[in-house]
Amino acid sequence: MLHIREAIVVEGRYDKNTLSQVVDTLILETGGFQIFKNPEQMALLQRAAERRGLIVLTDSDGAGFVIRNRIKGAVPARYLKHAYIPDVYGKERRKRRPGKEGKLGVEGMPPDVLEQVLRRAGADFLDGDSLSVPSGPPLTKAGLSAAGLSGGPNSALRRQALLKRLALPEHMSANGLLAVLNGCYSREEAEEILKNS
């Protein structure tokens, strides 16, 4: 498993699933073209970019470039790195037919190709010593529960208030919030956020 500092944004959940088998970092989804309709999702991408940098890894088809350009227009260039997958024609196993342009997307790329494109993009790969940055084990769902943000009465309302305070998408699940707290904040910062929720 490769560890990198930057967060990575991909188009959808299948891309995220494939990438999570290669790298250990915060992986965010645009939901395809939903990124155009969801300012809160864009705010989340901007927050992740400011906190740790953001690598844009979209498919190599026309739709992927439209999404990439939307992100490029909303997030300052100093926080962005762009990873490009090669044009490989075929179809992903889960699909009945190839995509409109007949190219494989991120989900169809083998792990070694994904590693190569991340290295070419200039991803900051962390060595064993650098992994201690969060200073402590990551937060767990039990921590959210103890803070009253998951699994209890009014936890959804409390979580929504926290999401609003952090300028995160209002429909973010408890698991999504946990990923952001562990991925964008140090352990101490995340604990302080929970304490003040």
Side-chain angles (χ1 to χ4, degrees):
M1 182 73 59
L2 303 169
H3 302 274
I4 64 172
R5 183 178 61 82
E6 297 90 351
I8 302 174
V9 59
V10 295
E11 292 179 49
R13 72 173 184 244
Y14 294 105
D15 299 331
K16 181 178 180 178
N17 290 344
T18 298
L19 195 57
S20 66
Q21 295 170 32
V22 178
V23 294
D24 179 21
T25 192
L26 177 62
I27 303 171
L28 302 167
E29 302 170 38
T30 67
F33 287 122
Q34 289 298 315
I35 195 72
F36 289 92
K37 302 174 189 171
N38 190 343
E40 293 169 336
Q41 182 68 16
M42 186 57 75
L44 173 58
L45 295 179
Q46 290 167 329
R47 169 76 55 84
E50 290 168 6
R51 299 286 303 185
R52 59 191 295 170
L54 185 67
I55 297 174
V56 182
L57 179 61
T58 57
D59 294 349
S60 59
D61 59 6
F65 277 89
V66 169
I67 294 166
R68 180 184 297 275
N69 288 333
R70 171 69 178 107
I71 295 167
K72 194 189 307 186
V75 177
R78 68 182 176 272
Y79 300 126
L80 285 180
K81 293 179 180 176
H82 291 275
Y84 297 93
I85 62 171
D87 284 341
V88 177
Y89 291 89
K91 75 169 191 64
E92 284 85 5
R93 280 185 220 164
R94 71 176 179 85
K95 295 181 179 176
R96 290 183 180 187
R97 294 183 208 123
K100 187 176 180 182
E101 295 181 29
K103 298 176 185 177
L104 291 177
V106 171
E107 72 172 280
M109 293 292 124
D112 61 322
V113 171
L114 292 173
E115 180 182 351
Q116 289 170 14
V117 300
L118 291 171
R119 289 190 185 280
R120 274 197 306 265
D124 290 332
F125 286 84
L126 305 174
D127 59 15
D129 297 334
S130 300
L131 295 176
S132 60
V133 172
S135 65
L139 294 175
T140 64
K141 197 89 175 261
L144 290 184
S145 184
L149 298 169
S150 175
N154 298 322
S155 60
L157 291 173
R158 294 190 65 182
R159 188 169 60 250
Q160 268 202 323
L162 176 61
L163 291 170
K164 186 172 186 171
R165 196 176 92 226
L166 295 175
L168 295 171
E170 69 180 43
H171 298 294
M172 182 175 278
S173 67
N175 289 336
L177 174 61
L178 192 59
V180 170
L181 290 174
N182 285 325
C184 291
Y185 298 93
S186 70
R187 173 69 186 232
E188 292 78 21
E189 289 171 322
E191 287 176 344
E192 188 66 25
I193 289 168
L194 291 183
K195 191 169 95 175
N196 295 321
S197 63

